[in-house]
Amino acid sequence: MTVILRDRPDGAVEILLMDPIILEVVANREMARFVCTYIGATELEVPELGAFGFATAAADVAESEAEALALAVAVEQSPPQAIRTVRKPRANLPAVIKEGSSAPARIEHHVPARLTDEQLSAAFRRIVDGEKIAAIAPDFALTMGQLRGIWANHRRNMQSHIAEGGQKACVLCRRAFTPSLTHPDTCARCNHG
């Protein structure tokens, strides 16, 4: 809040308490100018200034629940052909969580089983042969995500070992390139050309 002084035509001085209210947040200055022009051309309905807190929100929620209960009773008591209600728009009310509610859902983290080198090479061989990771993972007591992570890490390590060997000449264009797992003999230009 800001306190400012403003001179009056009669010589008196007004002390104003300025409480900024954010009307909207926009992405750029041009849109903000457009909105300001629109606001200047229309009369705004300024909300009442007051202390808003949990008590006010709880009262609003209680009022809304009472209206919903009254509507439910009215619907139960009226014949089906007489039901015609006009719903008035509701304010964005906060969610009130009742005490003793259930605990939030938790995902249990399972540490993947340690696989031997033979098991890993067997799994990798099946992946290279075109089998789906989701079908392979249960055979090794892993989830699909765990096996996918192990496979991605293995490919990353293999790529770094291939790259350590340095650059070599492409068999098609003779340009120097760093070989990859998928294209060890040809450069990227020749692969996509």
Side-chain angles (χ1 to χ4, degrees), residues 26-48:
V26 295
N28 56 34
R29 188 166 291 280
E30 288 96 29
M31 180 57 85
R33 285 188 187 126
F34 176 77
V35 171
C36 287
T37 304
Y38 176 76
I39 290 172
T42 60
E43 289 187 25
L44 286 179
E45 184 178 322
V46 180
E48 288 182 28

Side-chain angles (χ1 to χ4, degrees), residues 28 45 106 111 146 158 160:
N28 56 34
E45 184 178 322
R106 295 176 191 258
V111 177
Q146 291 169 337
M158 291 302 296
S160 66

Side-chain angles (χ1 to χ4, degrees), residues 34-118:
F34 176 77
V35 171
C36 287
T37 304
Y38 176 76
I39 290 172
T42 60
E43 289 187 25
L44 286 179
E45 184 178 322
V46 180
E48 288 182 28
L49 295 177
F52 296 106
F54 184 76
T56 305
D60 289 343
V61 169
E63 180 182 329
S64 176
E65 288 175 350
E67 288 175 4
L69 181 63
L71 181 62
V73 169
V75 167
E76 287 178 9
Q77 294 175 351
S78 63
Q81 65 271 20
I83 299 176
R84 288 189 147 212
T85 60
V86 177
R87 294 183 182 204
K88 63 180 184 177
R90 292 187 179 177
N92 290 332
L93 300 175
V96 176
I97 300 172
K98 295 183 176 24
E99 289 185 31
S101 63
S102 64
R106 295 176 191 258
I107 298 174
E108 292 185 22
H109 178 70
H110 296 285
V111 177
R114 295 286 175 196
L115 300 178
T116 64
D117 290 338
E118 293 82 24

Side-chain angles (χ1 to χ4, degrees), residues 114-127:
R114 295 286 175 196
L115 300 178
T116 64
D117 290 338
E118 293 82 24
Q119 289 174 319
L120 284 174
S121 59
F124 296 157
R125 198 172 317 110
R126 289 174 63 184
I127 292 172

